[in-house]
Amino acid sequence: MMFSLPLVFIKYMEYISNLRRPLDNTTEELSLNKRLAYRVDVFLSFHPYAKPLTLLIATLLLISLGGLALFGVTDDSIANCLWLSWTYVANSGNHTNSEGIGPRLVSVSVSFGGMLIFAMMLGLVSDAISEKFDSLRKGRSEVVEQNHTLILGWSDKLGSLLNQLAIANESLGGGTVVVMAERDKEEMELDIAKMEFDFRGTSVICRSGSPLILADLKKVSVSKARAIVVLAEDGNADQSDARALRTVLSLTGVKEGLRGHIVVELSDLDNEVLVKLVGGDLVETVVAHDVIGRLMIQCARQPGLAQIWEDILGFENCEFYIKKWPQFHGMQFEEVLISFPDAIPCGIKVASSGGKIILNPDDSYLLQEGDEVLVIAEDDDSYAPAPLPMVKEASLMHIVRPTRKPQKILLTGWRRDIDDMIVVQGGNLPKNLIIPKTTERILFCGWRRDMEDMILVLDAFLAHGSELWMFNEVCEKEREKKLTDGGLDISRLANIILVNREGNAVIRRHLESLPLESFGSILILADESVEDSAIQADSRSLATLLLIRDIQAKRLPYREAMASKIHRGSSSQGSWREEMQQASDKSVIISEILDPRTKNLLSMSKISDYVLSNELVSMALAMVAEDRQINDVLEELFAEEGNELQIRGADLYLCEGEELSFYEVLLRARQRREIVIGYRLANAEKAIINPPAKTERRRWSVKDVFVIIADKE
């Protein structure tokens, strides 16, 4: 009887459905089994607790049917039968005292049903536990953090970015960085472990998800992050920037709002305006290719500048900090300049102008209430103002500041750095003296997708009549089309003449067709065709560098003297390296390097300067993530107008063997409206930024050089 009840119920439901079936024969007939299966499927799919609820209903139904069956074959009350049915379900061996065929059949049937339900319950619990562990392993659990740094995306720059953020958080005892990308969590954690960085107490948490999905953004506590970094994807620039734009749209759509700012890495300068339009005041942009292109041009004009930028952009040495000091209210900037023994002031954040940062202000600028001081220091808590030191003003020499008013003057002879060497002891030369720029010949090896932007920057920097040679595998007609599509009007270039040469930069005979000995600067670019592979791009750049240096060494006039010297006994390994180092004195070569491991090869050989593009961009992203105000400083230092980092010879500020303190040199440079932030001694390989003991006097040589912040005259 008990087993026939479900069959009777199903037949009854079929009978009811047949009575309600429409007469239209065109309508597809569905059986009750299909309808029930569909309803069960919908129930299990949409209700989160469908499985345990189904198991509970099945258990209650089994107990009820078993109790009714026992009530029919025994003389017990319905309550005792229901309780006895429950004991059979819970313990299948609890019917040893059953007597008679009827009670035993019912008890065995209920026990079989109980075992089935128990097995289903074990499977359900096991699945729930496995699903939870799988969710944790796959990075689907929610991050319960606040004031953390959130990184969206994955690229080759992630390792350097994590390293810089860890260094920045070291003074705070460590921090939390959350990385969310469309990758498997275990793969991300494995790749980060392979980086072998010392994270200095910083925790790195990985989560799998898409920044375009609000639920995934909520999972990483996006509304509580103090900074959000959106990394550019490797590959097509337009697709990468389009995805960054969609990510910014998703971030601005977070209902809870954002506590921190958004730092977006872009690949193309043309897309910057659109991203800022969408993100508004929340967004700070760093255009990777534009930054590296401008930096390579600056380094080509001033050898050694790449190392200076590595020191300033990273958190390992000295970097920019902005802080308010109420005791400076009413003081002139000239006094503030020598008030920090452990830092060098280089700008003011003006409160009255909405927080605008003025680099290298006038000495007479009076600090107002709310103004903040921009300094270069080792750490945020490593500097503080001190009483003004005594600086000997009598030792100052008069230095003429160049102005933009032209005046005719005859010079006999010419030096490449003649515009930096005019030091007037008694004011004998006119104060409105201006020296014209010298024409230059520069070679670009390789093709970058932002070539038109680099050409425009060069046109602003170089003198009229300068030549830019472009040597790459792109045919000349396609070259012109790419430049035109990028917005460059070649006919409007005011100062440079473009010379196109087609060839492969890793084939010697192609390079030998160029007058390599006549170029003042050579830039080896990470070619667009191989930039997605850092190792391949660096291998190509390194091969091009060695070929160019070898060709230059064989063409230079001291070749015979070098050959005789080598023949007298120098080693074969030292010979080629010494040859190329001699050739490096005649022209500057800047190589764009993507992989940090490649820089060790160039550092040891000393035959080329280099720009470590991925690492420098990561440093810039980390600095802007820590303090968004620094982005304004970097934008001005990289722009065509305003202030920039420069390297100046010591003979501009002192005489051979003169004993001066660093503060005295600093005040002398102020006569040229310059701020000295460091120096490199003649026999040293590395510059010292923000030197200690600024009041101690030392003997200087005119072969020393100073690192300054000055206006682009």
Side-chain angles (χ1 to χ4, degrees):
M1 178 180 178
M2 179 183 66
F3 297 104
S4 63
L5 288 176
L7 183 60
V8 173
F9 176 75
I10 293 175
K11 292 297 183 181
Y12 176 75
M13 292 299 296
E14 287 183 354
Y15 173 74
I16 296 298
S17 62
N18 289 332
L19 291 178
R20 296 181 178 181
R21 184 177 302 165
L23 299 176
D24 189 2
N25 294 328
T26 59
T27 305
E28 183 181 357
E29 297 181 1
L30 295 176
S31 64
L32 179 62
N33 293 337
K34 289 185 178 181
R35 294 183 182 183
L36 288 176
Y38 172 72
R39 295 300 178 187
V40 170
D41 180 64
V42 171
F43 177 73
L44 293 177
S45 301
F46 286 93
H47 295 278
Y49 302 104
K51 291 182 179 180
L53 187 60
T54 302
L55 185 62
L56 177 61
I57 293 174
T59 304
L60 294 177
L61 183 61
L62 179 61
I63 293 173
S64 301
L65 294 178
L68 292 175
L70 288 174
F71 180 71
V73 297
T74 62
D75 297 332
D76 288 343
S77 64
I78 186 65
N80 290 336
C81 290
L82 290 175
W83 175 254
L84 189 60
S85 177
W86 157 246
T87 60
Y88 292 162
V89 172
N91 186 358
S92 59
N94 197 28
H95 51 79
T96 56
N97 296 326
S98 300
E99 297 180 357
I101 298 298
R104 289 181 179 179
L105 288 176
V106 173
S107 62
V108 170
S109 300
V110 175
S111 297
F112 275 125
M115 288 188 289
L116 179 61
I117 288 179
F118 183 71
M120 292 172 60
M121 183 180 66
L122 287 179
L124 183 62
V125 173
S126 176
D127 289 343
I129 295 175
S130 299
E131 185 177 350
K132 187 61 179 178
F133 275 104
D134 185 64
S135 175
L136 295 174
R137 184 173 57 86
K138 295 294 183 181
R140 298 170 186 160
S141 59
E142 187 174 351
V143 175
V144 186
E145 294 285 350
Q146 57 182 350
N147 292 327
H148 57 285
T149 302
L150 175 61
I151 301 176
L152 302 177
W154 188 279
S155 71
D156 293 337
K157 304 180 185 67
L158 181 65
S160 299
L161 178 58
L162 291 176
N163 187 36
Q164 292 300 321
L165 292 175
I167 297 173
N169 293 329
E170 184 178 12
S171 60
L172 303 176
T176 303
V177 179
V178 180
V179 181
M180 187 177 76
E182 296 182 58
R183 301 185 64 202
D184 185 75
K185 175 177 178 287
E186 291 180 312
E187 292 181 2
M188 290 191 286
E189 292 176 342
L190 183 60
D191 289 343
I192 292 175
K194 290 179 181 178
M195 296 173 185
E196 297 181 352
F197 289 133
D198 181 8
F199 288 109
R200 298 172 171 85
T202 295
S203 302
V204 180
I205 302 172
C206 297
R207 287 292 181 268
S208 297
S210 172
L212 306 179
I213 301 175
L214 292 177
D216 289 346
L217 291 175
K218 185 178 180 181
K219 182 175 62 179
V220 292
S221 300
V222 64
S223 60
K224 299 178 182 179
R226 64 185 179 92
I228 304 167
V229 181
V230 181
L231 293 179
E233 290 184 340
D234 298 329
N236 185 274
D238 292 332
Q239 293 180 1
S240 174
D241 289 351
R243 183 172 181 82
L245 178 63
R246 295 197 301 270
T247 301
V248 173
L249 280 171
S250 298
L251 292 171
T252 55
V254 176
K255 294 181 180 179
E256 297 82 1
L258 299 179
R259 179 186 300 180
H261 59 284
I262 307 171
V263 184
V264 184
E265 179 198 356
L266 295 175
S267 302
D268 197 327
L269 185 63
D270 297 334
N271 300 321
E272 183 180 26
V273 177
L274 186 57
V275 172
K276 286 187 174 180
L277 179 65
V278 171
D281 296 335
L282 287 173
V283 170
E284 297 290 339
T285 57
V286 176
V287 186
H289 260 61
D290 184 61
V291 168
I292 298 304
R294 293 172 184 268
L295 183 57
M296 290 189 69
I297 291 173
Q298 289 187 12
C299 295
R301 295 172 57 238
Q302 301 183 76
L305 197 60
Q307 179 258 316
I308 307 299
W309 272 113
E310 277 193 53
D311 290 345
I312 292 179
L313 283 179
F315 286 98
E316 292 181 280
N317 299 297
C318 293
E319 53 274 351
F320 292 106
Y321 292 102
I322 300 177
K323 191 180 293 186
K324 184 186 299 183
W325 302 96
Q327 58 266 45
F328 288 149
H329 295 166
M331 289 181 60
Q332 292 186 346
F333 180 74
E334 184 179 19
E335 297 174 318
V336 176
L337 198 61
I338 56 175
S339 297
F340 292 96
D342 301 310
I344 299 178
C346 50
I348 300 295
K349 181 183 177 182
V350 183
S352 59
S353 63
K356 180 182 178 181
I357 297 177
I358 301 178
L359 277 174
N360 189 19
D362 292 331
D363 288 341
S364 59
Y365 177 84
L366 290 176
L367 271 75
Q368 306 297 323
E369 184 177 358
D371 287 355
E372 301 179 42
V373 182
L374 171 70
V375 303
I376 293 179
E378 186 175 357
D379 207 343
D380 188 30
D381 56 356
S382 65
Y383 69 99
L388 291 177
M390 296 298 296
V391 182
K392 292 185 178 181
E393 296 184 2
S395 64
L396 296 181
M397 58 197 301
H398 181 66
I399 302 174
V400 172
R401 283 182 54 192
T403 65
R404 296 188 181 276
K405 297 180 180 180
Q407 180 167 345
K408 294 182 179 179
I409 187 169
L410 175 64
L411 298 177
T412 58
W414 188 265
R415 282 176 56 104
R416 184 175 179 178
D417 57 348
I418 196 168
D419 57 328
D420 298 330
M421 298 183 60
I422 300 177
V423 180
V424 184
Q425 297 284 350
N428 297 325
L429 292 180
K431 292 186 178 181
N432 58 352
L433 173 67
I434 185 170
I435 300 300
K437 298 177 182 178
T438 59
T439 59
E440 296 184 43
R441 177 181 281 187
I442 296 179
L443 172 65
F444 280 0
C445 284
W447 184 272
R448 284 167 56 103
R449 58 174 174 264
D450 61 342
M451 186 69 79
E452 63 277 357
D453 296 326
M454 295 184 68
I455 293 175
L456 288 174
V457 173
L458 268 180
D459 189 58
F461 279 134
L462 299 183
H464 180 73
S466 298
E467 293 182 1
L468 173 60
W469 289 53
M470 294 191 297
F471 178 74
N472 50 68
E473 296 182 74
V474 181
C475 64
E476 186 172 346
K477 291 183 178 180
E478 186 179 351
R479 232 179 265 184
E480 294 180 359
K481 183 178 182 301
K482 286 187 175 184
L483 294 177
T484 304
D485 293 342
L488 176 66
D489 188 352
I490 299 177
S491 62
R492 293 190 177 183
L493 294 177
N495 297 320
I496 61 176
I497 302 170
L498 296 182
V499 181
N500 290 293
R501 291 290 185 272
E502 186 177 343
N504 193 332
V506 295
I507 298 179
R508 185 183 185 91
R509 68 176 183 275
H510 291 180
L511 288 171
E512 287 179 338
S513 64
L514 301 173
L516 295 176
E517 69 280 1
S518 66
F519 295 107
S521 302
I522 299 175
L523 277 68
I524 302 176
L525 310 176
D527 199 270
E528 184 181 26
S529 60
V530 293
E531 66 178 355
D532 293 341
S533 174
I535 297 177
Q536 187 177 355
D538 289 355
S539 300
R540 185 182 179 91
S541 298
L542 191 58
T544 302
L545 168 65
L546 295 176
L547 287 173
I548 290 176
R549 282 303 188 204
D550 187 54
I551 294 171
Q552 286 180 331
K554 288 177 170 55
R555 291 181 180 178
L556 292 176
Y558 59 78
R559 169 66 181 168
E560 295 182 359
M562 287 295 301
S564 61
K565 179 179 178 181
I566 295 169
H567 182 70
R568 285 195 299 267
S570 54
S571 65
S572 59
Q573 181 180 2
S575 63
W576 70 266
R577 184 174 298 176
E578 190 173 358
E579 254 184 274
M580 293 187 178
Q581 288 174 4
Q582 290 287 340
S584 67
D585 296 334
K586 304 300 179 182
S587 66
V588 178
I589 297 184
I590 305 295
S591 304
E592 182 182 2
I593 299 302
L594 304 181
D595 193 334
R597 293 170 293 185
T598 310
K599 74 176 182 180
N600 298 327
L601 301 175
L602 295 178
S603 299
M604 291 186 295
S605 64
K606 300 178 184 178
I607 59 176
S608 169
D609 210 342
Y610 59 89
V611 173
L612 196 56
S613 59
N614 281 349
E615 190 164 353
L616 288 176
V617 172
S618 301
M619 291 176 178
L621 290 171
M623 290 191 71
V624 180
E626 290 296 310
D627 188 352
R628 64 179 305 179
Q629 305 172 101
I630 302 302
N631 200 25
D632 295 334
V633 179
L634 299 180
E635 285 181 352
E636 179 173 348
L637 292 176
F638 285 126
E640 295 91 344
E641 298 181 355
N643 292 274
E644 68 174 349
L645 285 180
Q646 300 177 11
I647 296 177
R648 292 281 186 260
D651 52 359
L652 279 174
Y653 314 102
L654 48 85
C655 301
E656 178 67 38
E658 190 174 3
E659 289 190 2
L660 296 170
S661 69
F662 182 81
Y663 274 144
E664 290 173 328
V665 176
L666 185 65
L667 293 182
R668 285 189 178 183
R670 290 304 295 166
Q671 297 183 59
R672 292 173 53 92
R673 183 72 182 278
E674 299 170 353
I675 298 179
V676 180
I677 64 172
Y679 60 83
R680 187 180 70 230
L681 301 179
N683 56 353
E685 296 181 0
K686 199 170 183 180
I688 300 175
I689 305 299
N690 182 30
K694 297 178 176 62
T695 57
E696 293 183 6
R697 300 170 69 86
R698 59 169 298 139
R699 190 178 300 276
W700 300 90
S701 169
V702 293
K703 295 182 180 180
D704 300 334
V705 295
F706 290 99
V707 183
I708 67 168
I709 295 177
D711 187 57
K712 302 177 182 71
E713 295 291 347

